[in-house]
Amino acid sequence: MADAVRIDATVAARGLDLDVGIPEGRTVAVVGPNGAGKSSLIELIAGGLLPDTGTVSLRGRELSSPKRAVPMHQRPFGHLEQRALLFPHLTVLDNVAYGLRSRGMGRTEARARAAAELAAVGLEGYGERRPQHLSGGQAQRVALARALATDPEVMLLDEPFAALDATVTPELRRLLRSRLQGMTTVLVTHDFLDVVSLADRVVELADGAVVGDGPVDVLVQRPETSFLAGFVGLNLLRGRARGGELALGEGVAVSGIAEEELPDGEARAVFPPTAVSIFRAAPHGSPRNELPAVVELIEDRWPVQRITLTVAGQRLAADLTPAAVRELGLAPGDRVVAVLKATQVALRPSG
């Protein structure tokens, strides 16, 4: 599938060196740790940040280069950020009509289109209100209606739910999914639910560069990095495959299930936190997947408690019931034994 947006650019001050495409008609979720370059990528596309080298293009038409750039207001993009950024002196209807009026549309026609967009986001009858009389979720709906009223060719979503109450986010996700169907969209998010609810593809950034790019299902089920594994709620341990097991070092090895023959060499083990049990001493039975560990952190993540462990210099997470944690009397610094269910451990070659 052809790319609608193509970014092949560097920005030295931001540490960016990007080579990534956004496929036509698809929603691409951009994820990565803080400082990875996610918001800078959005700025490059929108035109608020210009490249030192390379270009940003839309369907082959150059938008930005070191020598010239199409102004932000002339780019056919919609933009939805964490905050709605509505004009407080305008009514809701005139906020939505603003982009149309700035493009030369007559007042009557612009207000009619704005009213239709408000109805489409569930705010029919709110047109004469002022932004200060809206809830956070309502204000974000108005911002979405304003962005869509100009018929953008590309939609840029920069953590659109981050400032909202969790109770309103699911309905807004549903609204975005229906309104943006078939539109080329770039979604920056820290929330895994946004990815699985809205995106077709995932681009993972680290240190200003792309380190992962692929369909959601593939990257979610086969994370290549510790960040992405943690993002989707899995553990990832790295080591060397030997004889069908993963050697972590320090005499520790992990067994599991390989979907195909696992050659000797660099490999990884992926498994959920629920596959980990914790004991004060090694239990009776098979010694396989009994890993000496140290408790690093205990967090309350109702209805479970997340125990962060260090095993052979690597971190892994275990989800236990509060009763189990109390019974074990766990505290940071404790030496314990982590037992992994081999049937829930996927072994895969790295790379």
Side-chain angles (χ1 to χ4, degrees):
M1 180 173 294
D3 289 335
V5 179
R6 184 75 206 170
I7 305 99
D8 183 3
T10 67
V11 181
R14 301 282 183 94
L16 296 179
D17 187 355
L18 295 169
D19 181 4
V20 61
I22 310 300
E24 185 77 51
R26 301 294 187 183
T27 295
V28 175
V30 181
V31 303
N34 291 333
K38 301 184 296 298
S39 292
S40 294
L41 172 60
I42 289 281
E43 288 185 68
L44 268 174
I45 298 171
L49 181 66
L50 300 182
D52 295 327
T53 66
T55 61
V56 177
S57 59
L58 174 65
R59 300 189 183 94
R61 180 169 69 96
E62 185 179 286
L63 296 178
S64 297
S65 72
K67 294 184 178 181
R68 64 174 299 277
V70 175
M72 293 179 68
H73 68 276
Q74 293 181 11
R75 300 187 182 205
F77 298 154
H79 202 164
L80 191 61
E81 303 179 69
Q82 294 183 26
R83 296 175 296 160
L85 300 176
L86 302 178
F87 298 115
H89 63 289
L90 297 180
T91 65
V92 164
L93 187 67
D94 286 333
N95 262 281
V96 178
Y98 180 84
L100 297 169
R101 296 284 286 136
S102 67
R103 286 164 170 77
M105 185 179 287
R107 183 173 186 271
T108 300
E109 186 181 359
R111 286 170 64 88
R113 173 65 187 272
E117 289 295 343
L118 284 173
V121 298
L123 292 180
E124 186 174 8
Y126 283 70
E128 296 310 312
R129 295 193 186 189
R130 298 281 178 171
Q132 57 266 36
H133 298 136
L134 301 175
S135 68
Q138 289 168 343
Q140 199 70 327
R141 285 171 182 255
V142 174
L144 174 60
R146 181 175 61 183
L148 293 176
T150 58
D151 296 318
E153 295 181 34
V154 177
M155 193 70 175
L156 305 177
L157 307 176
D158 193 355
E159 299 191 59
F161 312 124
L164 299 179
D165 189 291
T167 59
V168 304
T169 298
E171 177 59 22
L172 277 171
R173 281 200 191 99
R174 183 204 64 76
L175 179 62
L176 273 177
R177 187 166 58 246
S178 64
R179 297 288 285 132
L180 301 181
Q181 186 70 34
M183 182 181 293
T184 304
T185 303
V186 183
L187 166 66
V188 168
T189 183
H190 281 98
D191 194 325
F192 177 54
L193 286 178
D194 293 344
V195 175
V196 295
S197 298
L198 300 171
D200 304 295
R201 297 184 67 83
V202 178
V203 168
E204 182 187 357
L205 300 184
D207 298 323
V210 175
V211 296
D213 184 356
V216 170
D217 290 348
V218 173
L219 267 67
V220 164
Q221 295 177 29
R222 299 187 174 191
E224 292 280 351
T225 67
S226 296
F227 168 82
L228 193 59
F231 183 78
V232 303
L234 297 173
N235 286 303
L236 185 149
L237 296 176
R238 295 189 180 278
R240 292 193 64 82
R242 293 175 186 156
E245 290 189 333
L246 184 72
L248 305 180
E250 303 179 13
V252 178
V254 173
S255 62
I257 297 175
E259 296 176 356
E260 53 193 44
E261 185 177 351
L262 187 67
D264 289 354
E266 297 295 325
R268 66 191 191 277
V270 179
F271 52 94
T274 53
V276 185
S277 300
I278 297 177
F279 297 85
R280 282 291 184 179
H284 297 294
S286 171
R288 293 159 67 86
N289 286 355
E290 294 180 359
L291 314 180
V294 176
V295 176
E296 295 289 341
L297 184 66
I298 301 174
E299 301 173 90
D300 187 15
R301 297 194 179 186
W302 180 257
V304 300
Q305 289 194 297
R306 170 66 55 87
I307 315 299
T308 301
L309 305 166
T310 299
V311 173
Q314 301 185 58
R315 285 196 165 194
L316 65 84
D319 284 345
L320 305 183
T321 65
V325 175
R326 286 195 300 271
E327 183 178 345
L328 289 165
L330 295 177
D334 286 354
R335 295 186 177 276
V336 296
V337 177
V339 176
L340 312 185
K341 297 178 182 177
T343 56
Q344 295 187 43
V345 177
L347 299 179
R348 300 187 178 101
S350 292

